[in-house]
Amino acid sequence: MTTSIIMETKVIENLKLSSPAFSAGDTIPERYTCDGEDVNPPLEIGDFPEGTQSLVLHVNDPDAPSGNWTHWLVYDMPLLHTIEENSTPGTVGMNDFGEAKYGGPCPPIGTHRYFFRLYALDTRLSLPPASTRDDVLAQMENHIIGTGELMGLFSHHT
């Protein structure tokens, strides 16, 4: 007797994610960091996969001394083509500064990489405001149908 297992595979499509404020791999302007006004940069989004119900944006610094530091977490975002500068485009989760808001790049030493990662989901998460990164990532599991990424650099001026 032969048993066959059929695994469902999801195709994860690429989302376009860019910023008019900086190009991929370039320095994030001071305005969007702790040396400036500490507001989120504007972002442009495109190519939503069919079936997208909501977006999640996670901004993190993998070069932080304590590991993967979350600077901004926004979920249950509508299908926006533009995230305006200094805006709240969805429900804001808790960052690693202990606040439910954008916390700009502010590395203690050297140049760090900051990844703006966008996820298209086939559902809404309906989590309460100020949810943690772990809660959001757990709820996203098996619902990601598209991703996009923009990486910028920053060195803190002391």
Side-chain angles (χ1 to χ4, degrees):
M1 186 169 125
T2 306
T3 304
S4 61
I5 298 172
I6 298 172
M7 302 277 299
E8 180 183 336
T9 57
K10 265 192 184 172
V11 174
I12 297 180
E13 298 184 30
N14 288 328
L15 290 167
K16 287 185 181 173
L17 181 61
S18 62
S19 176
F22 65 98
S23 297
D26 284 349
T27 299
I28 297 170
E30 190 173 285
R31 171 176 177 74
Y32 309 110
T33 73
C34 68
D35 288 341
E37 295 178 38
D38 212 12
V39 297
N40 67 278
L43 298 170
E44 302 290 335
I45 305 166
D47 294 348
F48 300 116
E50 187 176 329
T52 301
Q53 297 296 310
S54 70
L55 302 171
V56 173
L57 179 64
H58 179 222
V59 181
N60 72 298
D61 172 7
D63 303 319
S66 61
N68 195 9
W69 189 271
T70 294
H71 284 264
W72 199 27
L73 180 62
V74 186
Y75 45 95
D76 286 345
M77 292 173 23
L79 278 62
L80 302 169
H81 289 283
T82 301
I83 295 175
E84 300 293 338
E85 175 180 288
N86 194 23
S87 68
T88 306
T91 304
V92 182
M94 191 64 67
N95 65 27
D96 284 334
F97 296 108
E99 301 176 314
K101 66 176 206 167
Y102 174 83
C106 197
I109 188 168
T111 300
H112 286 211
R113 298 169 298 153
Y114 296 87
F115 288 90
F116 291 72
R117 290 192 174 97
L118 186 71
Y119 301 91
L121 305 182
D122 63 4
T123 189
R124 289 182 52 82
L125 299 181
S126 299
L127 288 166
S131 289
T132 66
R133 171 184 59 221
D134 290 344
D135 290 341
V136 171
L137 294 176
Q139 290 292 315
M140 287 171 51
E141 196 171 324
N142 298 318
H143 292 288
I144 300 169
I145 58 174
T147 61
E149 181 177 280
L150 172 65
M151 189 274 293
L153 304 170
F154 189 69
S155 300
H156 180 55
H157 305 292
T158 54

